[in-house]
């Protein structure tokens, strides 16, 4: 077996895990789904899921990875002692990795395209700026070109391995992104006319706007944004080696991820309301609203913004590919190079479907692009199902003494709270919501 990679330091691990969690999910997806599902009530439900589903499963994935030092498929076998049914979570996770990265790369490509548009500068009325995004999205050649470039970057960084590739980049880029977002939020709240309305939109819940699809999406997004339910955190935990306080590491990652999503939401909705734009515009929201502001500030702000958005997407994209690659390295003895090229190449080809906006099929009673279908199915069903299996495994199957050796003490109140939530509340919540989403209850 090839030697497994290891993080260089505890801090490097936490930043890499945060780098996986913080990505397009926070800055692109959270604001747009908050807009689509009507604001405050959706945000509240989402925050609730982060606490009772996300945090407990994050701790569980890290424990499984750290303890087994294996990829998600091998991890369950290692801990259960035989070929085990629990491995299904690992297989489902690998499948989710394929699907998510294939559409993730398309949005990341759009962010990259906007770096170049920023250099040229944005101009014209808000309507003209909005139209520019549609031009990019519906242009097959450009979409494929940017998808290819993004996948090429992800593949080359993953070939470099965990310490040189993943850890080094996360250390520099995460803090830079936070500073820039703070600046944009500060502008939104204190200098734009939309700041107050944005805060009310995001934090004053109106439960009459909360549909059952909104609740399913809030659950799915809690998984997506924290990189949970597909073994990314199992994989990152497996490279840890050292002893570390896993609950605290999980709390740090969850906190950073949530703050960044909320900051991005405030910054973007401040602009939406300042320029009388449509909060429910959908997946194009950040590409349509921010450039209206950037038309006034110039490339000085817009170039760094889209550059950092691309980097945030890269550190997450890397973790999506790493899950699949680690399996072939650990279990099949492939070299990192071979594993990355073959798996990255396959995902690239799958990604041609979501990259082409014109290819549409019937799904849930309407014509939809592969982009929308891949996103909906992986986020709302595959990740929660994977997460459910992980919660059941750690909550009910794993031995208590093994868990307690991972920096937990059975006398700590938070240990008992975590275990209780993980065993009862998390699985019940996930099962009810998935079944309801499938219209079975
Ligand atoms: N958490 C990432 C984001 O919010 O952009 C997306 C993601 C990365 C999902 C890795 C799942 C994953 F395993």
């Amino acid at each position: 077996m090839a030697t497994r990679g290891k993080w260089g330091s505890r801090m490097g691990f936490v930043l890499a895990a945060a780098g996986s969690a913080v990505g397009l999910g926070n800055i692109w997806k959270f604001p747009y789904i908050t807009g689509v599902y009507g604001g405050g009530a959706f945000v509240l439900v989402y925050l609730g899921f982060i606490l009772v589903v996300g945090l407990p499963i994050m701790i569980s994935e890290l424990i499984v990875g750290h303890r087994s030092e294996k990829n998600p498929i091998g991890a369950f076998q290692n801990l259960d002692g035989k070929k085990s049914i629990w491995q299904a979570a690992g297989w489902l996770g690998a499948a989710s990795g394929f699907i998510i990265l294939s559409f993730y790369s398309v949005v990341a490509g759009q962010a990259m395209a906007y770096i170049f548009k920023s250099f040229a500068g944005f101009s014209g009325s808000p309507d003209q700026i909005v139209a520019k995004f549609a031009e990019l999205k519906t242009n097959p050649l450009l979409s494929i070109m940017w998808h290819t470039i993004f996948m090429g970057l992800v593949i080359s960084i993953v070939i470099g391995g965990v310490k040189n590739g993943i850890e080094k980049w996360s250390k520099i880029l995460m803090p830079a992104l936070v500073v820039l977002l703070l600046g944009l939020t500060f502008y939104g709240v204190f200098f734009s006319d939309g700041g107050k309305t944005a805060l009310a939109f995001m934090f004053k819940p109106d439960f009459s706007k909360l549909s059952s699809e909104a609740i399913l999406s809030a659950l799915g997004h809690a998984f997506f944004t924290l990189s949970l339910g597909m073994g990314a955190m199992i994989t990152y935990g497996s490279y840890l080696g050292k002893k570390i306080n896993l609950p605290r590491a999980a709390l740090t990652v969850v906190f950073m991820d949530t703050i960044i999503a909320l900051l991005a939401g405030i910054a973007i909705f401040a602009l939406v309301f300042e320029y009388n734009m449509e909060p429910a515009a959908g997946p194009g929201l950040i590409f349509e609203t921010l450039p209206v502001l950037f038309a006034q500030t110039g490339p000085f702000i817009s170039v760094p913004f889209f550059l950092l958005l691309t980097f945030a997407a890269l550190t997450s994209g890397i973790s999506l590919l790493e899950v699949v690659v680690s399996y072939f390295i650990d279990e099949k003895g492939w070299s990192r190079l071979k594993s990355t090229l073959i798996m990255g190449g396959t995902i690239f080809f799958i990604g041609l479907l979501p990259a082409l906006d014109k290819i549409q099929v019937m799904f849930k009673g309407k014509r939809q692009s592969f982009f929308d279908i891949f996103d909906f199915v992986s986020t709302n069903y595959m990740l929660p199902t994977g997460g459910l299996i992980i919660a059941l495994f750690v909550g009910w199957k794993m031995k208590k003494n093994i868990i307690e050796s991972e920096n937990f003490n059975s006398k700590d109140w938070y240990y008992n709270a975590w275990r209780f939530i993980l065993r009862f509340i998390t699985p019940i919540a996930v099962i009810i919501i998935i079944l309801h989403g499938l219209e079975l209850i």
Side-chain angles (χ1 to χ4, degrees):
M1 198 174 75
T3 2
R4 299 191 94 241
K6 283 229 189 309
W7 304 115
S9 65
R10 291 186 176 89
M11 178 72 177
F13 156 73
V14 172
L15 282 179
S20 166
V22 175
L24 295 171
N26 307 62
I27 299 165
W28 159 75
K29 200 168 183 191
F30 173 72
Y32 109 65
I33 54 178
T34 298
V36 167
Y37 293 118
F42 173 83
V43 174
L44 203 67
V45 174
Y46 158 76
L47 291 175
F49 283 139
I50 292 286
L51 221 58
V52 299
V53 176
L55 182 60
I57 294 186
M58 169 85 71
I59 297 174
S60 308
E61 284 205 24
L62 291 178
I63 290 179
V64 168
H66 188 219
R67 186 70 200 190
S68 65
E69 302 203 330
K70 286 268 187 229
N71 66 86
I73 299 168
F76 290 98
Q77 190 177 343
N78 176 284
L79 295 175
D80 203 23
K82 51 188 175 305
K83 273 216 179 303
S84 129
I85 177 93
W86 298 98
Q87 275 173 284
W91 288 109
L92 186 67
S96 312
F98 268 83
I99 297 183
I100 296 178
L101 184 52
S102 78
F103 75 81
Y104 203 82
S105 169
V106 176
V107 187
Q110 291 165 348
M112 284 164 78
Y114 267 68
I115 301 175
F116 291 88
K117 285 191 195 297
S118 297
F119 274 119
F122 297 100
S123 57
S125 66
D127 282 349
Q128 286 167 325
I129 290 177
V130 169
K132 283 262 180 284
F133 178 67
E135 273 170 34
L136 169 68
K137 190 176 137 190
T138 52
N139 184 323
L141 273 182
L142 279 181
S143 297
I144 291 181
M145 179 185 91
W146 288 114
H147 163 64
T148 311
I149 297 176
F150 183 77
M151 280 308 297
L153 284 172
V154 170
I155 291 171
S156 20
I157 300 179
V158 173
I159 287 176
V162 302
K163 197 145 116 201
N164 295 328
I166 303 172
E167 185 173 343
K168 201 167 91 192
W169 286 97
S170 304
K171 267 192 191 160
I172 308 169
L173 301 171
M174 281 288 302
L177 179 70
V178 174
V179 171
L180 196 80
L181 262 182
L182 275 173
L184 285 174
T185 311
F186 194 75
Y187 168 84
V189 173
F190 295 106
F191 294 100
S192 91
D193 296 334
K196 266 210 185 101
T197 326
L199 290 174
F201 179 74
M202 281 185 59
F203 299 110
K204 263 208 188 137
D206 171 356
F207 286 98
S208 66
K209 290 191 183 149
L210 200 64
S211 62
S212 59
E213 184 174 308
I215 299 178
L216 178 64
S217 296
L219 175 75
H221 189 64
F223 282 98
F224 186 90
T225 191
L226 294 175
S227 303
L228 295 176
M230 55 159 282
M233 291 297 160
I234 296 183
T235 311
Y236 274 24
S238 78
Y239 297 141
L240 198 48
K242 303 186 173 63
K243 240 196 156 8
I244 178 176
N245 188 330
L246 290 180
R248 191 187 305 152
L251 199 63
T252 311
V253 174
V254 170
F255 182 75
M256 276 168 77
D257 188 83
T258 308
I259 291 290
I260 289 182
L262 293 176
L263 288 179
I266 297 169
I268 285 161
F269 285 115
L271 298 177
V272 168
F273 294 116
E274 179 172 9
Y275 295 107
N276 287 320
M277 297 170 97
E278 173 54 52
L285 189 68
I286 57 164
F287 298 107
E288 295 166 354
T289 49
L290 285 176
V292 177
L293 168 72
F294 294 154
Q296 290 159 31
T297 59
F300 174 63
I301 311 263
S302 54
V303 172
F305 177 81
F306 286 113
L307 208 59
L308 288 172
L309 182 61
T310 304
F311 283 128
L314 262 178
T315 49
S316 304
I318 292 165
S319 69
L320 284 158
L321 183 56
E322 184 65 30
V323 169
V324 186
V325 164
S326 67
Y327 168 74
F328 286 92
I329 297 180
D330 285 356
E331 310 290 322
K332 303 284 169 206
W334 288 13
S335 70
R336 175 164 280 277
L337 182 70
K338 174 177 167 189
S339 184
T340 311
L341 285 178
I342 295 182
M343 291 305 125
T346 313
I347 294 172
F348 164 75
F349 281 111
I350 301 176
L352 294 177
L353 283 173
L356 295 169
D357 192 57
K358 287 202 178 63
I359 310 182
Q360 300 199 336
V361 289
M362 287 304 283
F363 180 75
K364 288 182 73 192
K366 54 178 192 240
R367 289 188 73 74
Q368 299 203 39
S369 63
F370 275 95
F371 182 91
D372 292 334
I373 301 172
F374 279 11
D375 185 2
F376 187 82
V377 174
S378 58
T379 307
N380 292 354
Y381 294 109
M382 296 173 76
L383 296 183
T385 308
L388 173 66
I389 305 178
I390 292 163
L392 292 174
F393 181 79
V394 177
W396 294 93
K397 173 83 191 163
M398 227 170 138
K399 297 215 171 51
K400 246 179 124 181
N401 61 340
I402 298 189
I403 298 176
E404 281 166 20
S405 69
E406 292 291 337
N407 239 303
F408 265 130
N409 183 334
S410 58
K411 289 194 194 75
D412 288 340
W413 69 267
Y414 63 83
Y415 168 70
N416 291 304
W418 166 74
R419 216 169 129 79
F420 176 79
I421 294 175
L422 186 72
R423 289 166 68 113
F424 299 101
I425 302 190
T426 311
I428 293 173
V430 175
I431 290 172
I432 292 179
I433 291 157
I434 295 181
L435 290 180
H436 189 64
L438 290 169
E439 292 173 12
L440 293 174
I441 51 171

